């Protein structure tokens, strides 16, 4: 099972890392998105440090790219996601 973890807060980072070790012990494949200041040796994606209020904005870019390329790999129509009509009202 793939697990994508985003850790950018120093206070929450130890808890997130602990949870990641738990899911890895159960066989999950993890992708860790973090900032340079919190980067560890096995982290896949480390983004530059920015002002704390801007961190969510830079963290969303890699997750969107992962979703995009995962949909491409599965041959899904990226411009027409399944069940979109159920969540978006068209007038």
């Amino acid at each position: 099972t793939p697990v994508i973890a985003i850790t950018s807060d120093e206070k929450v980072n130890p808890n997130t890392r602990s949870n990641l070790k738990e899911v890895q012990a159960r066989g999950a494949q993890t992708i860790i998105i973090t900032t340079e200041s919190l980067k560890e040796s096995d982290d896949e994606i480390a983004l530059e440090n920015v002002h704390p209020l801007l961190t969510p904005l830079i963290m969303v870019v890699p997750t969107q790219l992962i979703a995009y390329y995962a949909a491409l790999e599965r041959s899904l129509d990226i411009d027409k996601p399944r069940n979109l009509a159920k969540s978006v009202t068209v007038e």
Side-chain angles (χ1 to χ4, degrees):
T1 303
V3 174
I4 300 173
I6 300 172
T7 179
S8 61
D9 186 349
E10 280 186 55
K11 296 174 188 171
V12 182
N13 186 46
N15 295 338
T16 303
R17 300 281 179 178
S18 175
N19 291 339
L20 282 171
K21 288 179 184 171
E22 289 289 329
V23 297
Q24 286 171 338
R26 290 173 171 79
Q29 297 175 344
T30 59
I31 298 173
I32 302 169
I33 303 171
T34 188
T35 57
E36 284 291 335
S37 61
L38 299 175
K39 184 178 181 346
E40 293 185 4
S41 61
D42 58 346
D43 294 348
E44 286 80 8
I45 302 170
L47 303 172
E48 290 186 32
N49 294 321
V50 295
H51 189 278
L53 294 176
L54 297 176
T55 304
L57 293 174
I58 66 164
M59 290 292 179
V60 75
V61 174
T63 56
Q64 288 178 329
L65 289 171
I66 291 168
Y68 174 79
Y69 286 109
L72 277 181
E73 185 67 27
R74 296 179 63 202
S75 299
L76 298 174
D77 188 354
I78 296 163
D79 293 324
K80 294 182 182 178
R82 187 180 70 153
N83 297 329
L84 181 63
K86 293 180 182 179
S87 61
V88 178
T89 303
V90 179
E91 291 185 40

